[in-house]
Amino acid sequence: MADATEKRYALGFLFGPGRPDMVGYVPHARVLGIRVEETGPGFSVCALPYRDELIGDPARRVVFGGAITTLIDHASGLAVACVLEELVSIATIDLRVDYLRAARPGVDLHARSECYRVTRNVAFVRAVAYEDTDADCFAGCLGTFMLGANRTDNAFEKLVRGREDA
């Protein structure tokens, strides 16, 4: 029997290894090839497979910074969704990315994001982007996300509805 004080997570059924359908409702993430590697209470890890189409600096063959920012933004929004007890729409208010060095060319990139504080209307995240291990990150990030930004269906609600229809 569950403890009465145990927190319930709206996306708790997704916690653990990522699944392909976790980006299926987010068109730009699908086009970029972003995949969810892991989710849990208030965190997510996503990956961006290296592809020539994502190169921003042909001389060094490093991935375009906008694609990396999108990876971090996606992981951060998912981390926010993974801390909520009830799903609401989520919109990025601010995302500050500090690039510490260029990402290593030719390898998949990863972002790990943690939602560390939630108020009634705003969620706060911190994230890192890395190649092999988050201890050797090439970018750090702080972000804020608005909760309940609009009342239309959001991607996570569609994912949950798809589970309920199965």
Side-chain angles (χ1 to χ4, degrees):
M1 181 173 203
D3 182 353
T5 61
E6 186 176 315
K7 185 165 181 176
R8 181 189 149 284
Y9 298 97
L11 294 182
F13 70 96
L14 293 174
F15 291 173
R19 302 181 340 209
D21 62 341
M22 293 176 78
V23 295
Y25 299 100
V26 185
H28 71 274
R30 190 175 57 244
V31 168
L32 285 172
I34 292 174
R35 66 180 186 267
V36 177
E37 294 189 325
E38 183 182 6
T39 57
F43 81 91
S44 76
V45 180
C46 294
L48 178 66
Y50 186 86
R51 299 192 332 252
D52 285 343
E53 304 86 52
L54 300 178
I55 292 173
D57 180 347
R60 295 186 304 158
R61 301 195 50 79
V62 297
V63 172
F64 170 61
I68 295 168
T69 299
T70 301
L71 170 66
I72 295 168
D73 187 39
H74 186 78
S76 296
L78 182 55
V80 171
C82 286
V83 79
L84 299 176
E85 293 182 32
E86 290 184 40
L87 288 178
V88 297
S89 58
I90 300 165
T92 308
I93 298 172
D94 183 53
L95 198 71
R96 176 196 165 107
V97 179
D98 293 319
Y99 287 92
L100 309 172
R101 61 177 171 81
R104 196 167 67 242
V107 297
D108 293 352
L109 306 179
H110 308 269
R112 179 179 176 81
S113 184
E114 170 197 6
C115 181
Y116 64 91
R117 175 99 164 96
V118 177
T119 67
R120 198 179 77 154
N121 297 313
V122 180
F124 300 85
V125 300
R126 56 183 150 240
V128 293
Y130 57 95
E131 299 97 342
D132 301 314
T133 172
D134 60 4
D136 185 24
C137 63
F138 62 82
C141 172
L142 291 175
T144 53
F145 290 77
M146 181 184 294
L147 303 176
N150 62 52
R151 305 293 177 225
T152 61
D153 284 350
N154 68 54
F156 302 120
E157 288 171 339
K158 291 176 185 174
L159 179 61
V160 170
R161 238 189 346 265
R163 174 181 178 251
E164 292 169 350
D165 293 342

